[in-house]
Amino acid sequence: MSVRQTDAPTSHKRGVQRLLDSYRAIPAAASVRLAKPTSNLFRARARREAPGLDTSGLTGVLGIDVENHTADVEGMCTYEDLVAATLPYGLAPLVVPQLKTITLGGAVSGLGIESTSFRNGLPHESVLEMDVLTGAGELLTVSRNQHEELFRAFPNSYGTLGYSTRLRIELESVKPFVVLRHIRFDSLDELVAAMDRIIDTGGFDGVAVDYLDGVVFSPAESYLCVGIETDTPGPVSDYTGQDVYYRSIQHAQGITDDRLTIHDYLWRWDTDWFWCSRAFGAQNPLVRRWWPRRYRRSSFYWKLIAYDQRFSIADRIEKRHGRPPRERVVQDIEVPLKRCGEFLDWFFAHVPIEPVWLCPLRLRHGEDWPLYPIRPNRTYVNVGFWSSVPAGATEGATNRLIEAKVSELEGHKSLYSDAYYTPAEFDALYGGETYRTVKKTYDPDSRLLDLYDKAVRRR
């Protein structure tokens, strides 16, 4: 059975035409950028001096093929809207990034990850084909069989090779509930070893595992969160109200159990933006009681962050209290699982941030993705940490230390936030000559930004 959204083909054609018209309206000497008021990036964005690309007509789900487990989705469709369309059919994307307003195009061109990544890899691996507006102004359908070099270089290109207008992605069957088991460890080595066993066997206590991530509150208190889908109905928890999900993970010893609907499991981190809502007082019981539910979501907290960045509110508060300015350390890095314990030991000894998030991943197939070249048949662990530290003597001092350590451990970091690599370091990590070759082919006049300029120079 194929389910098409009402008037989707006609609406999509209008949206694509609006995008093409906006591209042609941008002066030839101006850089082409999205006319997008919001973002899930933590890099400072340069001011637009010319009109941007109008993607406002490319935000929907075009259709769901229930029989073949695929969906056609517009590039600016959010995962929140996609999941709302697929769950009634017992289907979900193979990887659903943690935050509701992440878009399909953003997750593919900028990478995404979640607790299915230990078995389903990264979002771009489930893309079957996509339509891409290139820097040359051409609308091309790309896949493993058409314009393959662009298809493979698109992940981690952050809009510097083109923008997706339509993606056809794989879906998988899901059950209506998720049973959660939160396993406590007092040793990081024991946690990493247990993670390795679960990934190797695909199960825990003889039961197949569907979801796997973890939280480290300190070197002496860490947890793996094992999720198992079930059809069996029963009481479920609600972490959109007074209770905070990440606090429910903590316990004195052993294993605790919990249950969520599949919908609430997929969005368990969004209500409090993992734990970052505490910076706004939203986890204070008195404040939370009066904080409207519709504003307990990552998109609203991001607006508060953007307001702070615009007016330097946090820095002004620090200065008023006689404290030094702070350096933003908002990063997701990946290191091989065998080096994860080493990285965590180093991190907690050098960076005063906790808790941190852990999410294991393995590429689904032995395919080459040159702009984020992690090795097939090797398990990596994403470590996410999102806070600030006292500023050092040089700009980005702590971020630079982290970059050096991650490279030493054969890892990478995501490029959605501040980066300080030299051009040579960046080339070695993120595709270098391959990127330039594809860029020259599909954006010969450099209408789109260069990846290094965008990710590091913040142009």
Side-chain angles (χ1 to χ4, degrees), residues 115 118 178-185 194-195 198-199 202-205 207-215 223-229 245 249 255-259 265 268:
S115 58
F118 78 101
V178 178
V179 173
L180 283 169
R181 309 206 73 191
H182 303 311
I183 312 160
R184 174 167 175 153
F185 298 88
M195 187 187 303
I198 293 171
I199 296 167
F204 177 72
D205 279 352
V207 178
V209 170
D210 299 300
Y211 306 97
L212 179 64
D213 65 352
V215 179
Y223 301 85
L224 286 181
C225 303
V226 171
I228 300 163
E229 292 180 1
Y245 172 70
I249 295 170
I255 302 173
T256 60
D257 293 340
D258 199 356
R259 283 173 54 94
Y265 176 80
R268 69 201 181 286

Side-chain angles (χ1 to χ4, degrees), residues 192-256:
V192 171
M195 187 187 303
D196 192 17
R197 287 193 300 272
I198 293 171
I199 296 167
D200 183 52
T201 63
F204 177 72
D205 279 352
V207 178
V209 170
D210 299 300
Y211 306 97
L212 179 64
D213 65 352
V215 179
V216 182
F217 290 90
S218 74
E221 184 190 1
S222 58
Y223 301 85
L224 286 181
C225 303
V226 171
I228 300 163
E229 292 180 1
T230 180
D231 290 310
T232 306
V236 292
S237 298
D238 177 9
Y239 296 107
T240 64
Q242 287 299 105
D243 295 331
V244 177
Y245 172 70
Y246 83 99
R247 288 300 182 192
S248 74
I249 295 170
Q250 291 183 277
H251 56 273
Q253 60 182 1
I255 302 173
T256 60

